[in-house]
Amino acid sequence: MRHTTHPLLAITAAALLSVPLPRAATAQPAPAAFDGFLAGLTECQFSPDFQKFRSGVIERFANPAFSKQPVANKSAAVPLPAALSGAIDIEGARLRSDDDGESTTVDIPVTGTYGGLPLKNLLFVLGNENGIAIAGAEFAAPRDQVVKTFGPAIKRGTARLKKTADEFPMSVGFGKPPAASIYCDQSN
């Protein structure tokens, strides 16, 4: 008996073999976790890496008194922890003058998470030769999620800071609505 292939089956088989197979999905790297770096933000007690980073931010972005057009000192280094070097965009920082030149606000874009929520920016308000000093984090998450996630820590931080208040009390809290941010204010 002679074996023959039906023409319709041959065409169907050829069509199936010519369809490209889907590529295996490549795993995306997990976003950088800022939890260790920002540890203590809700109590104004910064990690050593954040303290070094913050000092570099001040060197690079603080301006003279009453600066209405803030500028960056590009020669000042901002030390980044190795684990976050690709997650913090110092060169993409946005500056603006606030309070008629009393302070410079710096928004530094970041890619990562803190407390399990996606981050958008690290925020700094730097006094222009005065005692304004605010550090914070802005989230790419709804404000209600930020409040739910960080509410207990902000409450603990507020209580601790009230107990240890001195001549220049510090405070922690949430940014004004609709901002999805938390901050530590060490202004004096």
Side-chain angles (χ1 to χ4, degrees):
M1 178 171 193
R2 191 169 150 210
H3 186 54
T4 60
T5 306
H6 190 279
L8 186 54
L9 289 175
I11 293 171
T12 303
L16 286 175
L17 292 174
S18 68
V19 174
L21 296 173
R23 290 183 180 167
T26 55
Q28 294 293 324
F34 280 71
D35 295 65
F37 182 66
L38 295 174
L41 177 63
T42 58
E43 294 192 17
C44 290
Q45 292 185 330
F46 304 125
S47 71
D49 282 340
F50 187 81
Q51 288 177 1
K52 291 175 193 168
F53 176 80
R54 185 171 159 245
S55 293
V57 167
I58 291 167
E59 285 294 315
R60 187 164 193 164
F61 297 110
N63 279 268
F66 305 107
S67 295
K68 300 211 182 190
Q69 297 295 323
V71 295
N73 174 4
K74 298 282 185 171
S75 65
V78 180
L80 300 175
L84 298 177
S85 64
I88 300 174
D89 183 8
I90 292 295
E91 298 307 318
R94 294 172 307 281
L95 307 177
R96 65 182 178 276
S97 178
D98 288 324
D99 300 323
D100 209 24
E102 286 288 321
S103 63
T104 299
T105 297
V106 184
D107 299 327
I108 301 171
V110 296
T111 305
T113 62
Y114 179 39
L117 299 177
L119 285 168
K120 181 178 179 181
N121 294 306
L122 296 178
L123 310 170
F124 296 90
V125 181
L126 311 173
N128 294 339
E129 297 180 7
N130 60 43
I132 297 171
I134 300 170
E138 181 181 13
F139 295 85
R143 179 181 171 79
D144 61 332
Q145 283 184 326
V146 174
V147 170
K148 181 179 178 182
T149 301
F150 290 96
I154 294 289
K155 188 174 181 178
R156 284 190 306 274
T158 298
R160 189 191 69 73
L161 290 171
K162 282 183 181 177
K163 286 181 185 176
T164 60
D166 58 9
E167 184 181 346
F168 301 109
M170 295 180 277
S171 64
V172 294
F174 297 100
K176 293 178 184 174
S181 61
I182 59 175
Y183 69 87
C184 163
D185 185 346
Q186 296 179 310
S187 301
N188 56 26

